[in-house]
Amino acid sequence: QLFKIIELLGLPYADRFQHINYGLVKGMSTRKGTVVFLDDLLDECASKMHSVMRANEEKYQGIADPEHTADVLGMSAILIQDMSAKRIKDYTFNWDRMLSSEGDTGPYLQYTHARLCSLERRVAVGVNPDADMALLTEDAAHSIISLIASYPDVLSAALVSMEPCNIVQYLFKLCHAISSAWNTMRVLGEPDDLAEARLLVYWSARVVLCNGLTLLGLRPLERM
């Protein structure tokens, strides 16, 4: 009916609409009074993330707007949990599932982005697009570069299938590769030429991670 109205209005983009179906969120019922409203969910998630942030007082003091950061983290937790599986798949609403900050979650993706931003702030060298990439002999570097190179294909597949989970699962793989590289691909304290090459890999990964989070409707955090 909506598409027909748009057609009758003569709008030039009327033929480009497509219905995208989703599975059900089980465990909610208006008749049984078990509905969880979005405002309550966002508030609860933000409160939980704020408590997690306060656990590290030193880092907490370095955040300009803790309340806003907690809001973004809470929203990240909800959206990533909601989009981590195929959209047609039903799932049962669970507070622990939505509030989780452990494992593959929205806060984990945000943490990885913030950690990469921190590296860029602390390192002595800058991002050099002409860095000598031949210096990168570590398997960890090759894994990250391979994942970065596959990003356009991931986006194309997500566009065809209309599945946000393709992007979410890709970002988890990228963050796992980055986490695995921290110990073998150090930047701080290394010779400038090697530091520049490694930093370029980390910087490129951060740009892709930032892009992916933005496509999913999230604001990437630089500090948390």
Side-chain angles (χ1 to χ4, degrees):
Q1 291 175 338
L2 174 62
F3 292 175
K4 188 62 178 179
I5 291 171
I6 294 170
E7 177 189 333
L8 293 174
L9 286 171
L11 298 177
Y13 44 79
D15 61 342
R16 301 208 299 270
F17 282 90
Q18 180 181 352
H19 174 64
I20 308 297
N21 55 344
Y22 287 82
L24 299 175
V25 180
K26 298 180 178 180
M28 291 192 189
S29 170
T30 50
R31 285 175 298 177
K32 295 180 180 179
T34 56
V35 172
V36 178
F37 293 102
L38 183 58
D39 279 350
D40 295 333
L41 184 57
L42 288 170
D43 289 344
E44 187 67 25
C45 283
S47 177
K48 169 69 182 299
M49 296 307 152
H50 201 186
S51 298
V52 172
M53 289 162 54
R54 289 301 299 259
N56 190 325
E57 193 63 31
E58 183 178 351
K59 286 186 178 181
Y60 184 82
Q61 294 301 324
I63 300 173
D65 189 345
E67 297 290 343
H68 172 71
T69 299
D71 284 343
V72 172
L73 285 174
M75 193 175 297
S76 300
I78 295 169
L79 287 180
I80 295 301
Q81 285 287 358
D82 198 49
M83 294 188 288
S84 60
K86 289 186 178 297
R87 54 182 166 76
I88 198 61
K89 185 178 180 181
D90 297 346
Y91 70 84
T92 301
F93 179 83
N94 181 282
W95 274 109
D96 291 336
R97 177 178 184 269
M98 283 297 177
L99 296 175
S100 175
S101 58
E102 304 287 331
D104 287 347
T105 62
Y108 170 64
L109 298 179
Q110 291 282 14
Y111 170 76
T112 303
H113 184 270
R115 192 174 182 184
L116 290 169
C117 289
S118 175
L119 174 65
E120 291 174 29
R121 289 192 298 268
R122 293 184 294 123
V123 73
V125 298
V127 176
N128 179 10
D130 297 320
D132 186 2
M133 305 304 281
L135 296 172
L136 299 173
T137 59
E138 304 89 355
D139 290 341
H142 298 163
S143 295
I144 296 174
I145 292 170
S146 177
L147 281 167
I148 292 171
S150 69
Y151 184 54
D153 293 334
V154 172
L155 294 188
S156 296
L159 181 60
V160 171
S161 64
M162 298 294 181
E163 288 283 7
C165 70
N166 289 352
I167 300 175
V168 173
Q169 295 305 322
Y170 167 82
L171 294 182
F172 283 141
K173 290 180 182 177
L174 180 62
C175 287
H176 293 161
I178 293 167
S179 296
S180 298
W182 286 122
N183 292 328
T184 57
M185 270 182 61
R186 296 184 61 83
V187 179
L188 293 168
E190 299 294 335
D192 285 356
D193 54 351
L194 181 58
E196 286 183 348
R198 289 176 174 176
L199 179 63
L200 183 59
V201 173
Y202 283 128
W203 175 83
S204 300
R206 184 189 63 77
V207 170
V208 170
L209 178 55
C210 176
N211 185 278
L213 288 170
T214 303
L215 281 175
L216 295 171
L218 296 170
R219 178 176 296 178
L221 293 171
E222 296 185 5
R223 297 176 185 270
M224 60 174 281

